[in-house]
Amino acid sequence: MSVIAELATELAKLPGIGRKTATRLVYHLLKQPAASVERLALALQAVTRSVRACSTCGNLTEQDPCEFCADQRRDAGLVCVVEEASDIDAIERSGEYRGVYHVLGGHLSPLDGIGPDDLRIGSLLHRVGNGAGIREVIVATNPSMEGEVTATYVRGALDGHGVKVTRIALGLPVGGDLEYADGVTIARALSARRDMGG
Amino acid sequence: MSVIAELATELAKLPGIGRKTATRLVYHLLKQPAASVERLALALQAVTRSVRACSTCGNLTEQDPCEFCADQRRDAGLVCVVEEASDIDAIERSGEYRGVYHVLGGHLSPLDGIGPDDLRIGSLLHRVGNGAGIREVIVATNPSMEGEVTATYVRGALDGHGVKVTRIALGLPVGGDLEYADGVTIARALSARRDMGG
């Protein structure tokens, strides 16, 4: 196989990149200065060599504990449980959260053979139980069926640990349009309605 | 900048990959075995180090002359002129063409400052004029405005070189639907209509 075909094959393994796009990317890269392609290759190698899971929360990081667990200004008594490390970025973008995180590493999915033991639930219970002063666990798994099942399981596993367990609110997205919202979202938004006072 | 952010920045420089997709790709790569990411990095390096332009036709290749120019079974008297090396793949997929190629390296685009001297037109004239026995030049630049202008320019440049110059046919795509074809394509297809005999 030529090196061009080989690179296209490797690129086509990435999610959302088919064979055609991969070939287009290869020809694009061939038009770039060699130094710029080299930078991409080195960045790939750096990531595989220096990124590890934080031993406390499971976030992907170059330092252990990760930047969030190590940050003294953060509220270590508030833990936000997410499915993937990439979800942390999304929550950080809100600029509203000042607690720490716990990454499950996926969601429960019996059909794919993913049970509770395959997720970092044991280490969550250990964190809650070891007297580190955790007051509240916010379950921020995805608002999908698997995410809801996982949230319910986590809620049950934390029973009797003397910690408050909350779920992020589901409802209409800000800036969204009621007309285009799906029925399930509207039903959730209605049942979670709150008193406006007055 | 963290190595994760750095890789996302490099990936986001690729065409069609925005910042969000780049971040998603990084997290995908972090879930893969290190050896698989390493393979992608090495494939990138191999491409920049060993791929060059063919000194005859301009195709991107690991060997010079390229596989098409070196293939004795191909008709060296028939040259297909394309804008980019990637167009060769598309023509080869048809399985119908047995001649050789000539890559211009783009199309005329005065607004972008790309004139005839920036394309490999001089080397095409040299190939045609050096007694290598070229009978016909098929101009297969894109059916876009720039491609048409470039085709006309190439046609003019070959005047008086004693070579037949043809243009690939424009018309309705096979498997397409007349109802959804644009007017310009239909006009071209009508004016290029051919006698069905009988």
Side-chain angles (χ1 to χ4, degrees):
Chain A
M1 187 154 57
S2 79
V3 295
I4 293 182
E6 205 160 314
L7 177 55
T9 303
E10 292 301 327
L11 287 171
K13 289 179 185 167
L14 298 174
I17 295 187
R19 185 76 206 183
K20 266 196 176 171
T21 309
T23 307
R24 204 160 43 78
L25 286 176
V26 173
Y27 282 109
H28 168 84
L29 288 167
L30 284 167
K31 284 183 156 192
Q32 306 306 305
S36 125
V37 182
E38 191 73 16
R39 253 200 316 278
L40 174 55
L42 293 178
L44 282 163
Q45 290 174 326
V47 156
T48 53
R49 283 167 196 174
S50 59
V51 175
R52 302 277 170 275
C54 172
S55 58
T56 304
C57 74
N59 182 26
L60 293 168
T61 177
E62 285 171 79
Q63 60 197 42
D64 189 10
C66 77
E67 55 172 320
F68 304 113
C69 292
D71 189 344
Q72 297 295 332
R73 290 161 307 177
R74 285 193 168 250
D75 181 355
L78 186 62
V79 176
C80 178
V81 174
V82 291
E83 293 184 22
E84 303 288 354
S86 46
D87 297 330
I88 293 180
D89 280 354
I91 293 174
E92 285 298 304
R93 269 200 300 279
S94 77
E96 287 292 322
Y97 185 65
R98 304 304 303 165
V100 293
Y101 293 96
H102 193 84
V103 179
L104 294 177
H107 51 237
L108 293 176
S109 180
L111 286 178
D112 300 316
I114 300 172
D117 294 343
D118 300 306
L119 303 180
R120 301 181 70 258
I121 293 175
S123 66
L124 174 64
L125 300 180
H126 185 258
R127 274 180 87 177
V128 169
N130 77 349
I134 294 177
R135 303 182 314 276
E136 178 177 348
V137 172
I138 305 172
V139 184
T141 52
N142 285 329
S144 61
M145 193 162 75
E146 294 90 349
E148 291 298 338
V149 169
T150 308
T152 307
Y153 185 91
V154 168
R155 207 276 146 270
L158 286 167
D159 260 355
H161 280 72
V163 70
K164 185 174 168 190
V165 182
T166 55
R167 178 89 174 103
I168 45 162
L170 305 181
L172 293 166
V174 175
D177 193 321
L178 197 66
E179 189 182 352
Y180 300 117
D182 63 290
V184 179
T185 299
I186 293 180
R188 289 283 193 152
L190 285 171
S191 73
R193 69 189 179 280
R194 59 189 184 76
D195 190 357
M196 294 177 70
Chain B
M1 184 156 56
S2 81
V3 295
I4 294 181
E6 204 161 315
L7 178 56
T9 303
E10 292 300 326
L11 287 171
K13 289 178 186 168
L14 298 174
I17 296 186
R19 185 75 206 182
K20 265 194 176 173
T21 309
T23 307
R24 202 160 45 79
L25 286 176
V26 172
Y27 282 108
H28 167 85
L29 288 168
L30 285 167
K31 285 182 156 195
Q32 306 307 305
S36 124
V37 182
E38 191 74 17
R39 252 199 319 278
L40 175 55
L42 293 178
L44 282 163
Q45 289 174 327
V47 156
T48 53
R49 282 169 198 173
S50 60
V51 174
R52 302 278 171 273
C54 172
S55 57
T56 303
C57 74
N59 182 24
L60 294 167
T61 178
E62 286 171 76
Q63 59 197 42
D64 189 9
C66 76
E67 54 173 320
F68 304 112
C69 291
D71 189 344
Q72 297 293 332
R73 290 163 305 176
R74 284 193 169 250
D75 181 356
L78 187 61
V79 176
C80 179
V81 174
V82 293
E83 292 183 22
E84 302 286 355
S86 46
D87 296 330
I88 293 179
D89 281 354
I91 292 175
E92 285 298 305
R93 269 200 301 279
S94 77
E96 287 293 323
Y97 184 65
R98 305 304 304 162
V100 293
Y101 293 96
H102 193 85
V103 179
L104 294 176
H107 51 236
L108 294 176
S109 181
L111 287 176
D112 300 317
I114 300 172
D117 294 343
D118 300 307
L119 303 180
R120 299 181 69 259
I121 292 176
S123 66
L124 173 63
L125 299 180
H126 185 258
R127 275 179 88 176
V128 169
N130 77 348
I134 295 176
R135 303 182 312 278
E136 178 176 349
V137 172
I138 304 173
V139 184
T141 52
N142 286 328
S144 62
M145 193 163 74
E146 294 89 348
E148 289 298 340
V149 169
T150 308
T152 306
Y153 185 90
V154 169
R155 206 277 147 268
L158 286 168
D159 260 355
H161 280 72
V163 70
K164 187 174 164 189
V165 182
T166 55
R167 178 90 174 101
I168 46 161
L170 306 181
L172 294 166
V174 175
D177 192 322
L178 196 67
E179 189 181 353
Y180 299 117
D182 64 288
V184 179
T185 298
I186 293 180
R188 289 282 193 154
L190 285 173
S191 72
R193 69 190 180 280
R194 59 190 183 78
D195 189 358
M196 294 178 72

